[in-house]
Amino acid sequence: MTPAERGTWSWESGFGNIELDWQVERARRLPWLPGTALVWATPLQNGQLHPLSPEGVLSRQAAGLVGRGLVPMVGLECEFVLVEGSERDAERSGWRPRPAGLGNLDYALDLQGNVAAFLRELRRVLAEAGLPIEALKLEGAPGQVEVTFPFGPVERACEQHLLLKTAAKAVAERHGMSALFMAAPFTGTGSGLHLHLSLHRLDGGASMFTPRGGEELLSETGRQAVAGLLDVLPVTGPLWAPTVNSYRRLARDHGFAPRRATWGWDNRSCAVRVVGHGSGRRLEVRVPGADANPYLALAAALAGVRHGIAGGLVPPEPARGDSYQDAKAWRLPHDLASAVREFETDPAVAEQFGVQVIAHLAALARLELDHHAPLVSAAEVARGFAQS
């Protein structure tokens, strides 16, 4: 929310208005905000979907697959962390909030009272809003929650995720807590936004990734999609890891967040995990963090899939064990600055997204970097006391 000096929306451009196409038929009552309804609107430019809107970026990637007779389907699996108190309480603590829970309660049944009440109310209000969830549970880090939505069209998945975020924040506040959708809210804690992705023919049917005959893990289309993802994910960091904090989640081995562009069967150390049985074979793209814009993260994934299928690419051998130790695999970007450099210069990115989108997203990333550049962290001060 920092006004920029140059770019599409800036002092240089005069901060002009954006035309919106209001879609009242998609209005949705929000049970967590009594007396309130949300109406979706599509940003336009010259009467067409605005090319720089996240919806527009995703729409073009999906359309490229539809042009090949393929329809992408996705289910989003999101993690976030509940912390005690409000944002004002966190500010008073020097931005050191406490998790609303102790220890690893992954799949636990004995939940603390306020956390259990939060989960019950969140499930209820989402169902009342027409957003039934597939699964809702606590995760491995203190105060961490995981929500999984049913499989469906990519646009619906993004809408579900945005509504989840508003619901979680409102319900948490009523229970004396806050919901943090940061990729790394605490040292050693990472929250992801995993994309469970498959392709289907226009007339429906089973996943195009389902192996046939002697194929072991994936069909030929699935293997091409994996190869494209392994090529494109490392150079599209600003789409799936848009903040400085995003890369804290990717900074350590064995943190259940990938560090290298690898793939394998039911392997949580990989960036792309092949899962599902029979007609439900799919790819779990594990690189985005909880702070990712779902439209842009999905756009990056679909760009990789398109790239692999169009080029008939062949992936490396799947990882059979700990892929954190695979020194031959391409490293994912380790910070936002290096991610932007790769994003701006890679030819595959230029082919898939075009100059205008690349320049816009790179400018947003640099605003984020400029914001953080002069800030001194508590960790720097602690290190300075000991070593300076």
Side-chain angles (χ1 to χ4, degrees):
M1 298 300 292
T2 303
E5 292 188 14
R6 290 175 296 279
T8 305
W9 291 286
S10 65
W11 294 114
E12 179 184 57
S13 69
F15 288 108
N17 287 338
I18 295 297
E19 182 184 357
L20 296 176
D21 177 24
W22 295 98
Q23 297 160 17
V24 179
E25 70 279 2
R26 294 168 63 201
R28 189 186 294 267
R29 186 175 64 86
L30 304 184
W32 55 89
L33 295 175
T36 304
L38 180 145
V39 181
W40 297 97
T42 300
L44 302 178
Q45 183 181 69
N46 301 322
Q48 302 296 318
L49 184 60
H50 199 292
L52 296 184
S53 70
E55 184 182 0
V57 175
L58 174 61
S59 177
R60 283 191 299 280
Q61 295 301 325
L65 288 167
V66 171
R68 291 179 170 271
L70 301 171
V71 177
M73 301 282 278
V74 72
L76 297 185
E77 174 191 332
C78 177
E79 298 165 340
F80 61 92
V81 170
L82 291 171
V83 298
E84 296 176 353
S86 65
E87 182 177 349
R88 179 60 59 87
D89 295 327
E91 182 183 25
R92 289 170 179 155
S93 73
W95 301 110
R96 290 287 184 265
R98 295 176 56 185
L102 298 174
N104 183 340
L105 296 178
D106 196 7
Y107 294 102
L109 298 178
D110 50 340
L111 308 181
Q112 295 175 332
N114 61 335
V115 173
F118 165 84
L119 295 178
R120 287 195 297 270
E121 184 175 355
L122 181 62
R123 183 187 295 274
R124 177 181 62 80
V125 298
L126 289 173
E128 290 176 0
L131 296 166
I133 56 180
E134 188 173 88
L136 174 63
K137 70 177 189 67
L138 293 188
E139 251 291 351
Q144 193 172 45
V145 178
E146 180 182 275
V147 181
T148 305
F149 279 103
F151 221 55
V154 292
E155 296 84 359
R156 188 177 74 189
C158 294
E159 292 182 6
Q160 289 171 334
H161 182 70
L162 296 180
L163 289 167
L164 163 68
K165 292 181 74 171
T166 66
K169 290 173 182 290
V171 173
E173 183 179 7
R174 285 205 285 271
H175 291 274
M177 299 180 290
S178 297
L180 285 185
F181 287 81
M182 295 176 63
F186 303 104
T187 300
T189 294
S191 291
L193 175 62
H194 298 167
L195 318 176
H196 289 260
L197 179 65
S198 68
L199 292 181
H200 301 259
R201 297 194 185 279
L202 291 175
D203 57 0
S207 168
M208 292 290 292
F209 296 160
T210 300
R212 295 171 178 82
E215 296 167 326
E216 182 183 359
L217 293 181
L218 286 170
S219 66
E220 182 180 11
T221 299
R223 292 176 64 84
Q224 291 170 349
V226 166
L229 284 165
L230 299 186
D231 262 12
V232 169
L233 289 175
V235 293
T236 51
L239 280 87
W240 50 263
T243 71
V244 168
N245 180 260
S246 302
Y247 298 85
R248 308 279 188 257
R249 172 176 165 267
L250 309 174
R252 63 190 181 100
D253 288 346
H254 306 135
F256 287 100
R259 299 193 71 187
R260 296 182 181 274
T262 56
W263 74 291
W265 167 251
D266 194 16
N267 188 333
R268 285 182 168 85
S269 72
C270 293
V272 180
R273 174 180 171 236
V274 183
V275 288
H277 300 280
S279 62
R281 189 60 53 93
R282 64 191 186 275
L283 306 178
E284 181 189 18
V285 180
R286 297 174 57 82
V287 296
D291 56 354
N293 182 315
Y295 291 93
L296 298 180
L298 272 169
L302 296 188
V305 169
R306 287 181 60 199
H307 174 66
I309 293 175
L313 304 186
V314 177
E317 287 298 308
R320 302 293 181 184
D322 182 0
S323 72
Y324 289 104
Q325 306 305 319
D326 186 355
K328 296 180 181 178
W330 197 351
R331 276 287 304 271
L332 297 174
H334 58 83
D335 59 36
L336 184 57
S338 59
V340 174
R341 288 193 295 271
E342 293 279 4
F343 181 64
E344 287 183 303
T345 58
D346 189 86
V349 175
E351 180 182 352
Q352 295 287 341
F353 291 97
V355 174
Q356 187 182 21
V357 170
I358 292 171
H360 174 62
L361 294 177
L364 293 182
R366 289 202 167 89
L367 282 177
E368 166 77 359
L369 288 166
D370 290 345
H371 171 81
H372 284 277
L375 302 181
V376 178
S377 70
E380 291 175 77
V381 175
R383 199 170 177 85
F385 262 95
Q387 298 186 8
S388 62

